[in-house]
Amino acid sequence: MFHFALTKHIAKREYVFLVAWSILLLVSNLVLIQSISTWIDEESQRLDAQLSYYIVPIPPQELGKLANQHGFSVFPSNDAFISWFSSPHHFKVGEHSMSMYPSPLINKGLMWFIWVNTFIFGAGALFGTIYLNKRKRHVERRKVSKQLTHRTRKDNGESLVNIPVTTEQQVTMFAMFKWRCELPKHIEPQSHFSVTLAKCFNKYQYCSAKYLSSGTLTVTLGTLGKNEVEQAIKRLHEVVYQALLAFRGDLSRSAVKCGACFYGESADQTQVYQIARSSLSIAQNHVWQHIHMLPLNHTLAESLLDAEVHIMEDIRAGRFVLFCQPLFDFKSQDVIQSEALLRVRHKTLGLITAGQFIHKIHHNEHLIELDKAIVRQALKVLSKEPRGFSVSVNLHVVNWSNSVFLNWLIGALKDSGRASDVTLELMISDYYQHKGYFEQFFSSLLLLGTNVVLDHVNKPLDVIQLQRLHNVTGIKLAFELIHGINGCAKRRAVVKQIVGQAKKLQVPVYAVGVETQDEFNCIKRLGVDGAQGYFFSAPLLELENSLN
């Protein structure tokens, strides 16, 4: 049973080794038993020769002494297991016959030899198996290391996949999709994509799709062979693209971005989500790379666990700076506000943006600590500027719903004396989802004179909901709506509709991420009131380097 249990999970080579080792163990024990039996027979003959000289009965004491000299006993062993090995030997003394048995000392010695021999061979089998397994893994790692390449490959000029090879035989894939188009209102995204993907990927063990309120489609596909990963993610991207193309005939593949992570059993799902989200951000920030995938291996998992700790250490030590991204007003042709952008001085990566690490911070207390550091530094910069200079700050959505942080924020704004020069930015999708809560907090900000800008607007506004807000001083259009807008009639129509709705609300509309003259001319014709981006100015470093 031991050999069966041990060998059912190992390769054929290890199985052959254990069978051969077991046969060797059996043969050695049989040889040992046969040798001892031969020795007992020889001693029996010697004892029989000596007893043949006696004509009269031998006293019991003398008989026992003589028998012990040749390894025999008059009495059988009391141990049933040992007595099973003991067969009686018959002797003739004069006219009488008697039986004697191998002495308990001989039998126990035989048993000890058998157990010691079995232990030695068993230990040898165990260590031999471990050695062979290690050798096999070492050979596999060497093969994998030769195959591992940091390769990038374009497929028909439309997607680029960066996929290292994993040593797992079976993996699971988690993918996130974002696209720059609006789904028809009569389509229910969850059921639509679930049915479409289930039809196309029915050969896999499971395929589940979930459409998030943020407009992100997540897909879990399993289980795949390690050699299927690259083709599976390409096909998954193509299926999602074709599903969207049915609604938008002019949709290009570059409008559909995918970030994915593939992983083995017992992977930390939080880390899987972080890697997929990070991969999606990389794909979104590249014009020609539409698919980006990373594996969750041991090294990456360890670095993810340490990333949050190291970044928070940098924040506490003051190793960060604030950059100011100017917002230009087209009517006044002047800077009306500066958006505070955090840059952390990482010891190995240099200056990194909040977008590169914010998804790796998932402890609420760390998010509070991070936003507090940004607000303090923004107020410090503001204190050195004249009245009328305005700074906008993005707060994490988790902190918007934290009453302890918000009470601290209100107190900090009051103490600064510049609350009216601070604007807080909030993603409009978060406002729609928790509008009842935000309206209550906006009222507290209104008393201080602090304004709010609704950010990342990528579709027409809900005018009825926004009419109740009195301290919203701006609408910021999403980057994906503005980037390349001069070449997309659909997005131009969306921007024009948003501008018309904002005029009814008497709220200005600003564009984010304007990078070219064509984009600038286009948004100006559409009635956008202002913009920020590299076309106007790169983010400007503050005069004082944070707490340093």
Side-chain angles (χ1 to χ4, degrees):
M1 292 298 293
F2 168 77
H3 289 292
F4 176 76
L6 184 63
T7 58
K8 68 179 181 179
H9 294 297
I10 61 178
K12 182 178 179 180
R13 183 176 59 179
E14 284 81 355
Y15 177 78
V16 172
F17 166 76
L18 285 180
V19 170
W21 197 264
S22 300
I23 294 174
L24 184 60
L25 169 64
L26 179 62
V27 170
S28 64
N29 282 332
L30 290 175
V31 170
L32 178 62
I33 294 173
Q34 182 63 34
S35 299
I36 294 177
S37 298
T38 302
W39 179 80
I40 291 176
D41 289 340
E42 291 175 354
E43 291 298 319
S44 172
Q45 293 176 4
R46 293 190 184 96
L47 179 59
D48 187 57
Q50 290 194 25
L51 292 177
S52 64
Y53 294 115
Y54 290 90
I55 300 176
V56 296
I58 306 174
Q61 186 176 1
E62 185 178 348
L63 178 62
K65 185 177 180 180
L66 183 61
N68 286 333
Q69 290 177 357
H70 293 275
F72 285 90
S73 173
V74 178
F75 306 101
S77 174
N78 294 326
D79 191 328
F81 186 67
I82 293 178
S83 64
W84 184 72
F85 288 95
S86 303
S87 57
H89 289 258
H90 304 284
F91 301 94
K92 191 172 182 180
V93 182
E95 297 179 355
H96 302 280
S97 296
M98 61 183 306
S99 297
M100 291 189 186
Y101 305 87
S103 67
L105 182 62
I106 298 297
N107 289 327
K108 286 183 179 180
L110 174 62
M111 289 303 303
W112 274 106
F113 274 116
I114 291 175
W115 284 116
V116 169
N117 195 33
T118 303
F119 173 77
I120 293 174
F121 275 82
L126 178 61
F127 286 111
T129 302
I130 294 173
Y131 170 77
L132 288 176
N133 280 328
K134 285 185 177 180
R135 183 181 177 87
K136 180 181 177 181
R137 287 195 296 269
H138 176 69
V139 172
E140 288 179 351
R141 282 196 297 267
R142 289 186 61 184
K143 289 181 180 178
V144 170
S145 65
K146 291 180 181 179
Q147 296 172 355
L148 263 173
T149 55
H150 187 72
R151 66 178 187 266
T152 56
R153 185 191 312 168
K154 257 189 172 181
D155 182 25
N156 298 326
E158 59 194 39
S159 67
L160 176 114
V161 185
N162 178 10
I163 305 180
V165 180
T166 177
T167 57
E168 295 281 350
Q169 294 296 327
Q170 297 291 327
V171 295
T172 302
M173 180 191 299
F174 177 75
M176 303 180 73
F177 289 87
K178 289 282 286 186
W179 49 81
R180 294 197 304 267
C181 71
E182 187 176 355
L183 295 175
K185 293 183 178 179
H186 67 277
I187 293 296
E188 205 289 306
Q190 177 64 54
S191 59
H192 175 72
F193 286 107
S194 295
V195 172
T196 302
L197 293 170
K199 289 179 180 179
C200 297
F201 295 93
N202 55 9
K203 75 170 187 175
Y204 296 103
Q205 185 175 350
Y206 60 89
C207 175
S208 71
K210 185 174 182 181
Y211 187 78
L212 307 180
S213 58
S214 61
T216 302
L217 175 67
T218 64
V219 180
T220 304
L221 192 64
T223 54
L224 299 82
K226 65 179 182 180
N227 57 340
E228 299 180 76
V229 172
E230 185 173 351
Q231 291 302 320
I233 190 61
K234 287 181 179 179
R235 184 163 180 256
L236 189 59
H237 181 270
E238 183 66 20
V239 169
V240 173
Y241 167 69
Q242 293 294 337
L244 294 169
L245 191 64
F247 310 125
R248 286 285 307 276
D250 61 341
L251 185 69
S252 66
R253 285 180 173 82
S254 62
V256 182
K257 300 293 187 178
C258 172
C261 171
F262 62 97
Y263 54 94
E265 295 182 359
S266 304
D268 187 331
Q269 295 302 306
T270 301
Q271 293 179 350
V272 171
Y273 181 83
Q274 289 176 355
I275 295 173
R277 185 175 174 183
S278 178
S279 298
L280 179 61
S281 298
I282 293 173
Q284 288 178 308
N285 290 329
H286 286 78
V287 177
W288 45 266
Q289 181 176 351
H290 313 320
I291 304 172
H292 191 85
M293 175 178 282
L294 289 171
L296 177 57
N297 51 31
H298 178 73
T299 303
L300 185 56
E302 290 297 323
S303 66
L304 285 174
L305 292 174
D306 295 338
E308 181 172 7
V309 176
H310 291 161
I311 289 171
M312 294 314 302
E313 288 176 353
D314 291 333
I315 295 295
R316 296 186 191 106
R319 291 189 289 270
F320 69 92
V321 293
L322 288 185
F323 280 70
C324 296
Q325 176 75 67
L327 175 64
F328 288 85
D329 180 70
F330 296 159
K331 186 176 181 179
S332 65
Q333 297 185 352
D334 197 4
V335 177
I336 58 174
Q337 192 178 83
S338 292
E339 181 179 353
L341 303 175
L342 179 68
R343 301 288 188 271
V344 174
R345 296 185 182 276
H346 196 274
K347 60 182 179 181
T348 57
L349 302 177
L351 281 178
I352 58 176
T353 65
Q356 291 176 284
F357 66 80
I358 195 67
H359 59 277
K360 296 180 181 178
I361 299 179
H362 49 271
H363 288 86
N364 290 352
E365 60 271 18
H366 289 166
L367 292 171
I368 292 175
E369 190 175 355
L370 178 63
D371 274 0
K372 281 185 177 181
I374 297 173
V375 171
R376 288 193 189 101
Q377 188 59 23
L379 293 176
K380 183 179 179 181
V381 173
L382 195 60
S383 66
K384 295 176 173 33
E385 299 291 337
R387 292 279 178 177
F389 180 83
S390 178
V391 174
S392 65
V393 179
N394 286 279
L395 298 180
H396 197 280
V397 64
V398 171
N399 294 332
W400 277 103
S401 58
N402 189 302
S403 58
V404 175
F405 172 80
L406 294 179
N407 290 333
W408 172 88
L409 177 62
I410 291 173
L413 292 173
K414 284 182 179 179
D415 295 340
S416 70
R418 301 290 296 270
S420 59
D421 292 327
V422 176
T423 300
L424 301 179
E425 297 195 10
L426 172 68
M427 289 182 63
I428 195 167
S429 58
D430 292 330
Y431 168 73
Y432 286 150
Q433 191 170 2
H434 309 284
K435 57 182 180 296
Y437 173 80
F438 284 122
E439 288 171 3
Q440 182 181 359
F441 179 62
F442 288 170
S443 300
S444 301
L445 294 176
L446 185 60
L447 298 176
L448 298 174
T450 301
N451 298 314
V452 177
V453 169
L454 297 178
D455 190 15
H456 206 78
V457 178
N458 56 10
K459 56 185 178 181
L461 305 172
D462 189 334
V463 178
I464 297 177
Q465 292 191 41
L466 298 179
Q467 281 177 339
R468 291 177 290 186
L469 301 179
H470 303 289
N471 54 339
V472 173
T473 58
I475 298 292
K476 281 191 175 182
L477 302 175
F479 171 79
E480 58 265 26
L481 195 60
I482 299 302
H483 181 67
I485 189 173
N486 51 295
C488 182
K490 177 68 175 181
R491 280 187 274 150
R492 290 198 297 271
V494 173
V495 171
K496 189 174 183 179
Q497 185 177 359
I498 294 173
V499 170
Q501 293 173 325
K503 285 182 178 179
K504 293 180 181 179
L505 296 169
Q506 298 181 345
V507 175
V509 177
Y510 304 114
V512 173
V514 179
E515 298 178 347
T516 66
Q517 181 72 50
D518 291 336
E519 290 174 356
F520 168 67
N521 294 335
C522 183
I523 62 173
K524 201 170 181 181
R525 288 196 304 267
L526 293 173
V528 175
D529 298 287
Q532 64 186 60
Y534 279 85
F535 177 74
F536 303 98
S537 171
L540 305 175
L541 179 63
E542 58 168 314
L543 295 180
E544 283 198 23
N545 290 340
S546 184
L547 304 179
N548 291 330

